[in-house]
């Protein structure tokens, strides 16, 4: 059971906009920044969004993040086949540990 | 090229020990906070441990506290994870990950991972 809650799966067709939710509590998302990671099959995770809505250099602006209260969302617009991957939200927790969501498997139909 | 390369994984019996290493290149590890994150087969990511630039601040996940020990050797530009009293549930790919400068809770550089299998 992950501390942060994500839907196990999501899907969309090419060109569509997809959102993935991440729910936490006052001790993690409610107090700390949310980060998002993309993990392509068989590879290490890649930082996609940090500090709720910041994109590292090289991440397309099709990816965006937002946070409100104890929840956060990742939005992917103009969905492409290469976006098919697992997506994880993460945050720091007041109990002095990092916490991840269980991951969302995105399928591009 | 900025890179992290883990080593030291393998097959170990329950109750045994293993020491993972993470060699950094392309950047000076002493300037960054570092972490270990693991992923059990077919499962999600689990944060394991954090160490500050000086090594004086260290945090562990509850699941490994008292059994695992994180350390760093800035002279060797490397990070380590000493794992003792290993259990079957510690079986996972272990990644070392660099904290993003100014945002220690975001991990911007990851190694390729090293597999640890705990089984008799």
């Amino acid at each position: 059971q992950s501390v942060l809650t994500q839907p196990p799966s999501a899907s969309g067709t090419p060109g569509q906009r997809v959102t993935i939710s991440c729910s936490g509590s006052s001790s993690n998302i409610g107090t700390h920044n949310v980060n998002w990671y993309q993990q392509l099959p068989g590879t290490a995770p890649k930082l996609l969004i940090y500090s709720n809505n910041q994109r590292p250099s090289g991440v397309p602006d099709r990816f965006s993040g937002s946070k409100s209260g104890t929840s956060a969302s990742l939005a992917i617009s103009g969905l492409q086949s290469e976006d098919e991957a697992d997506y994880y939200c993460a945050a720091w927790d007041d109990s002095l540990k990092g916490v991840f969501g269980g991951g969302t498997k995105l399928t591009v139909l | 090229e900025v890179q992290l390369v883990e080593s030291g994984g393998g097959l170990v019996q329950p109750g045994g020990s293993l020491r993972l290493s993470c060699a950094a290149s392309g950047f000076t590890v002493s300037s960054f906070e570092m972490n270990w994150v693991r992923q059990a087969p077919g499962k999600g990511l689990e944060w394991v441990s954090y160490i500050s630039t000086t090594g004086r601040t260290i945090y562990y996940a509850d699941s490994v506290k008292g059994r695992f020990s994180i350390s760093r050797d800035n002279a060797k530009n490397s990070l380590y994870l000493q794992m003792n009293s290993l259990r079957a549930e510690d079986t996972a790919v272990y990644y070392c990950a660099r904290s993003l400068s100014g945002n220690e809770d975001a991990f911007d550089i990851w190694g390729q991972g090293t597999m640890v299998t705990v089984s008799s």
Side-chain angles (χ1 to χ4, degrees):
Chain A
Q1 191 89 6
S2 301
V3 174
L4 305 182
T5 301
Q6 297 179 236
S9 64
S11 63
T13 56
Q16 207 172 23
R17 184 177 187 269
V18 171
T19 61
I20 296 172
S21 63
C22 175
S23 178
S25 67
S26 58
S27 67
N28 41 67
I29 293 180
T31 310
H32 302 277
N33 290 325
V34 177
N35 308 301
W36 290 90
Y37 299 89
Q38 177 193 60
Q39 187 176 31
L40 298 171
T43 69
K46 169 190 170 184
L47 181 63
L48 204 59
I49 297 287
Y50 68 95
S51 293
N52 306 319
N53 55 19
Q54 302 299 301
R55 282 186 310 276
S57 172
V59 174
D61 60 6
R62 302 187 295 106
F63 295 90
S64 62
S66 64
K67 185 183 104 167
S68 178
T70 58
S71 294
S73 290
L74 172 71
I76 309 171
S77 60
L79 198 62
Q80 299 179 4
S81 58
E82 54 260 42
D83 297 334
E84 190 159 287
D86 294 326
Y87 292 85
Y88 295 90
C89 60
W92 191 248
D93 191 275
D94 285 343
S95 59
L96 301 181
K97 63 181 180 182
V99 290
F100 280 95
T104 298
K105 184 176 184 63
L106 175 63
T107 300
V108 181
L109 302 169
Chain B
E1 181 191 4
V2 173
Q3 198 174 6
L4 292 168
V5 178
E6 302 94 337
S7 60
L11 174 63
V12 61
Q13 292 189 337
S17 298
L18 215 51
R19 188 194 194 211
L20 305 184
S21 299
C22 171
S25 59
F27 71 99
T28 304
V29 81
S30 60
S31 300
F32 293 87
E33 290 135 313
M34 299 293 295
N35 305 266
W36 286 97
V37 177
R38 69 184 180 182
Q39 185 169 35
K43 303 296 184 182
L45 301 173
E46 180 188 14
W47 172 84
V48 173
S49 184
Y50 157 94
I51 186 168
S52 64
T53 53
T54 61
R56 276 183 242 152
T57 300
I58 287 173
Y59 303 125
Y60 295 101
D62 292 342
S63 57
V64 307
K65 200 175 296 183
R67 301 186 298 122
F68 289 13
S69 177
I70 190 172
S71 62
R72 62 193 301 154
D73 187 334
N74 290 337
K76 293 185 177 179
N77 217 30
S78 294
L79 176 74
Y80 304 98
L81 186 68
Q82 177 66 43
M83 304 186 296
N84 300 327
S85 303
L86 282 162
R87 306 166 180 167
E89 53 264 36
D90 295 318
T91 294
V93 174
Y94 284 74
Y95 298 100
C96 62
R98 187 182 82 172
S99 287
L100 181 64
S101 185
N103 295 271
E104 66 273 6
D105 55 2
F107 312 145
D108 67 336
I109 303 295
W110 295 66
Q112 85 289 350
T114 186
M115 183 70 203
V116 172
T117 303
V118 184
S119 174
S120 55

